Amino acid sequence: MTMAATLTAPLKILGPASFRTFRCLWMLEELGIEYEHLPLLPLSKEVKKYNPLRKVPVLITHPDGFVLYESAAINTYLCDLVQHPTMVPPPRTESRAIYDQTVSVIISELDAQGLWIQRKHEGMGDLFTFVPDAVTHARKYFHKTNRALIGQLKQPGPYLLGADFTAADVLYVHCLDWSKTIGWDEKWKDDAAVVRYMSLCKQRPAFRKVAAIRAQEIKASATRMRRQRMDGKASENGNNPHSKL
């Protein structure tokens, strides 16, 4: 019996699937752990209650209420929780050391020093200030870091740590997808090995399920925004359809 089998209630995971929460939802699906998904936004009062940084994802266990944030930490914990034999290599092994190294590079270099800089100082410049030079440098650094990861992927592949799909691949695929949405995929989109790798990972049922959740959330958000714009225009014209409710 795995440790997960002893859980008396589902775990809670906070954050929309369109954020880094995607990584944890994917892992939960891979592991077959029952969970409750609450798509709470970062910076919200509800999220601040559990994470002083007011970021998502946040994992809450039951019944003890143990709280954990940061996607890489959550995913490693989940794999250890169910004692999965390959998703995270066993401790005190060279494979675990390479896993930890790979995750550190993805999180602290590819994400934090590359993708997140673009998000902060271009995509969210109104909040964090626009810094074009920082974004330009971040893009170059992203490509430099990704070259090293692609080299690792090709030796011997097909996954980052070799024959087995691991929690490191969850992080990496999410980052590559992120880079594609902002047009930073020009250095890897035509690399045959990376294209095969992405296709292989995205064919996994767990990925496809969470991608569908994300698509539904994005569609619902677009509908709400469209309705708000319509209501705003109606209010300007003195004809708010909700004013009499």
Side-chain angles (χ1 to χ4, degrees):
M1 178 182 295
T2 65
M3 292 179 65
T6 67
L7 293 173
T8 58
L11 306 177
K12 286 185 178 181
I13 189 74
L14 312 185
S18 55
F19 288 68
R20 291 182 182 91
T21 311
F22 186 100
R23 303 166 176 176
C24 301
L25 292 170
W26 184 0
M27 182 55 64
L28 285 162
E29 291 292 340
E30 289 282 354
L31 299 175
I33 299 176
E34 185 179 359
Y35 65 91
E36 179 184 0
H37 177 211
L38 302 175
L40 300 173
L41 291 172
L43 304 181
S44 65
K45 291 181 180 179
E46 295 92 341
V47 170
K48 185 180 180 181
K49 178 181 177 182
Y50 299 105
N51 182 354
L53 300 176
R54 298 174 70 176
K55 293 183 177 182
V56 294
V58 177
L59 178 76
I60 306 170
T61 69
H62 295 273
D64 60 352
F66 172 67
V67 175
L68 190 65
Y69 47 87
E70 295 296 327
S71 60
I74 291 171
N75 284 0
T76 298
Y77 167 74
L78 290 172
C79 292
D80 286 341
L81 180 68
V82 303
Q83 301 173 16
H84 196 282
T86 58
M87 280 290 187
V88 171
R92 300 180 300 278
T93 63
E94 291 184 359
S95 295
R96 180 62 171 256
I98 295 299
Y99 165 83
D100 289 336
Q101 171 185 279
T102 304
V103 168
S104 294
V105 170
I106 293 170
I107 295 301
S108 63
E109 307 295 334
L110 199 69
D111 184 332
Q113 296 298 322
L115 298 167
W116 180 235
I117 297 298
Q118 187 278 338
R119 176 74 60 84
K120 284 180 66 176
H121 296 303
E122 186 171 282
M124 299 175 65
D126 289 334
L127 180 62
F128 293 103
T129 70
F130 292 96
V131 187
D133 287 347
V135 175
T136 298
H137 178 74
R139 184 171 190 160
K140 294 178 181 178
Y141 192 74
F142 170 86
H143 291 315
K144 176 183 177 182
T145 305
N146 199 33
R147 282 197 299 272
L149 289 167
I150 291 174
Q152 178 177 335
L153 178 65
K154 294 178 179 179
Q155 298 179 7
Y159 301 107
L160 279 172
L161 269 65
D164 294 319
F165 178 86
T166 70
D169 295 298
V170 169
L171 301 175
Y172 189 40
V173 169
H174 183 263
C175 283
L176 290 181
D177 260 353
W178 183 353
S179 75
K180 183 177 180 179
T181 65
I182 60 175
W184 284 16
D185 61 337
E186 72 274 13
K187 300 291 187 178
W188 65 260
K189 65 180 180 181
D190 296 322
D191 188 303
V194 180
V195 171
R196 286 194 299 270
Y197 167 74
M198 292 291 280
S199 176
L200 188 61
C201 292
K202 290 186 174 187
Q203 288 175 11
R204 300 179 72 86
F207 175 90
R208 297 172 70 175
K209 181 174 180 178
V210 180
I213 294 172
R214 178 175 59 187
Q216 291 172 355
E217 286 185 3
I218 292 172
K219 182 178 179 180
S221 177
T223 299
R224 285 194 301 269
M225 292 179 63
R226 184 165 57 251
R227 185 177 296 118
Q228 289 170 358
R229 287 196 297 269
M230 292 175 63
D231 288 350
K233 291 180 180 179
S235 296
E236 292 175 2
N237 297 327
N239 187 30
N240 188 340
H242 303 301
S243 62
K244 297 181 181 180
L245 296 180

